[in-house]
Amino acid sequence: MNEHRLIAEELERQLGHWLGAAQCFVDAEEFASRHAWESLEHSIGVPVRSELARTVEQLLEAGRTSAAAVRASRLDPSALAEAQAAVQQFRRRYVQVETTLDFFGQAVNTRTSTHLRAALQFLDSIAYQSIEQVLRPLGLPVPPVLTYLGEGLGASILRVGIRLWAPGTVNPVAAVKIVRHNLYRPTSLFHEAGHQVAHLSGWNDALGKALGETLADDPALRAMWQPWSSEIAADVYAFVLTGYASVAALHDVVADERTLFRWPLGDPHPIGWLRTLLGCAMCRHVYGAGPWDRLERAVLTTYPPSRAEAATVPLLLRSHRRMDALAATCLDSRVPGFRDRPIGALVDASRVSPSALAELERTAGPSLWTSPHWRRTDGIRLIALAGLREAENPQRAGEWISRARTWMTGQQSVAA
């Protein structure tokens, strides 16, 4: 057997393996169970399955093209280099498609039990509601939202429309990771929803410009705060939807003494110490005095800015002195993408003030935590209320988490 034919046959063997493995991708149950796929609402499952099926078909078509190149190389030694390149390219594409399918399969497969399926279905729904109430009046498309359970301390999002790992594959949904410790206190869900809203409406750039104008007299602070505009916009969005609950939950995530003052180069997240104080200032701006004042004092007492790196301390102190002005900028600045209105014109943060939530609790009575009506029509405010009560009564936090678990999953309520 001549040398070129030997190489061609070895290429054919390699390609046969990768193409055979790729054919298994046709069955979505290779990546997630049938019940998990069926737990997705039609508006979520159809675009995901359709995009993944298109991606797999493109991979298989690339495999068929590669196979033709390998067959041709058996007869034509000059085609051998092209066949080798085709096999290598198909290998790489296979891995990219597998990564894409694994991501969605693992996300969908986190719906491993009846109560987790119910909880994540509920979060799909209220995340969509939170985005819809802003984007639909603006005439912007409202993407479906797929939530899934993930590891770590903080939530994350893959925005709709971004390019995924597989060539030509576009994310058909806003995919939001919820971490386990906040599954039943999911204010971070609205932070991630805020990223989607801000991206589609141009809020990030508008807020960055507004922050720059507020800090125009202090170039060092302006240079610090403007690059944080995308994360600040998302924090603001979580705040206007869930009030103080979002601030307390955020502090629980960032309050690590090893990282609270950290400022990595290029990190779009504000320094954790400043994020917490900005949240407290936003509460004060909208609601006046309240439990956020205690949180602010605790942060300043427990973590004095002198614990930060020496070069950062002056920036922290000057930022702290201007925190009320920064909060006003975040909440009151007019945004072109919001038809020249502030975020408060689209989402009324006063609906989740402690007094408004107490009134909701009083008028609804015990049915607030048992009625499917309240779960369906006021789910976001219920999250705000449960988070507020947990923050106000830390000795009963476990009871409030248990209560949130029961109503989020549609189970029979328990007393708290």
Side-chain angles (χ1 to χ4, degrees), residues 182 184-187 238-239 241-250 252 283 287 289-295 349-361 368-369 379-397 399-401 403-404 407:
N182 271 338
Y184 302 113
R185 185 187 59 172
T187 56
F239 166 72
L241 283 164
T242 56
Y244 178 56
S246 71
V247 178
L250 171 65
D252 288 347
C283 289
Y287 309 135
W292 39 89
D293 298 319
R294 291 194 300 275
L295 174 60
S350 68
R351 296 188 71 247
V352 288
S353 69
S355 59
L357 293 174
E359 179 63 16
L360 171 66
E361 200 172 27
L368 185 63
W369 303 105
I380 296 174
R381 289 214 293 165
L382 284 172
I383 287 174
L385 174 58
L388 173 66
R389 293 290 179 257
E390 180 188 336
E392 289 180 328
N393 301 282
Q395 69 277 11
R396 299 181 63 196
E399 296 176 26
W400 279 100
I401 291 173
R403 169 174 284 193
W407 67 259

Side-chain angles (χ1 to χ4, degrees), residues 12 44 86 101 134 150 159 165 255 311 399 411:
E12 190 171 33
I44 303 169
L101 296 174
V134 172
R159 297 192 311 269
W165 301 271
E399 296 176 26
Q411 298 174 8

Side-chain angles (χ1 to χ4, degrees), residues 251-313:
H251 181 63
D252 288 347
V253 172
V254 303
D256 183 331
E257 62 180 3
R258 298 167 300 176
T259 60
L260 187 65
F261 290 108
R262 186 176 295 173
W263 186 17
L265 182 65
D267 189 348
H269 296 84
I271 295 170
W273 189 82
L274 292 175
R275 285 181 83 180
T276 300
L277 296 184
L278 179 60
C280 294
M282 288 193 294
C283 289
R284 190 161 51 246
H285 183 76
V286 178
Y287 309 135
W292 39 89
D293 298 319
R294 291 194 300 275
L295 174 60
E296 183 178 64
R297 288 195 299 272
V299 170
L300 293 172
T301 302
T302 309
Y303 307 105
S306 58
R307 294 178 59 177
E309 293 183 4
T312 309
V313 171

Side-chain angles (χ1 to χ4, degrees), residues 17-18 21-25 30-31 52 55-56 59 90-106 164-167 169:
H17 166 72
W18 292 111
Q23 288 168 346
C24 297
F25 292 168
E30 286 283 318
F31 297 91
L52 296 184
T55 298
V56 170
L59 175 67
F90 186 75
R91 282 170 52 106
R92 289 192 291 271
R93 186 161 186 166
Y94 171 93
V95 172
Q96 292 168 326
V97 171
E98 181 184 71
T99 300
T100 302
L101 296 174
D102 270 335
F103 169 77
F104 282 103
Q106 289 169 12
L164 296 175
W165 301 271
T169 304

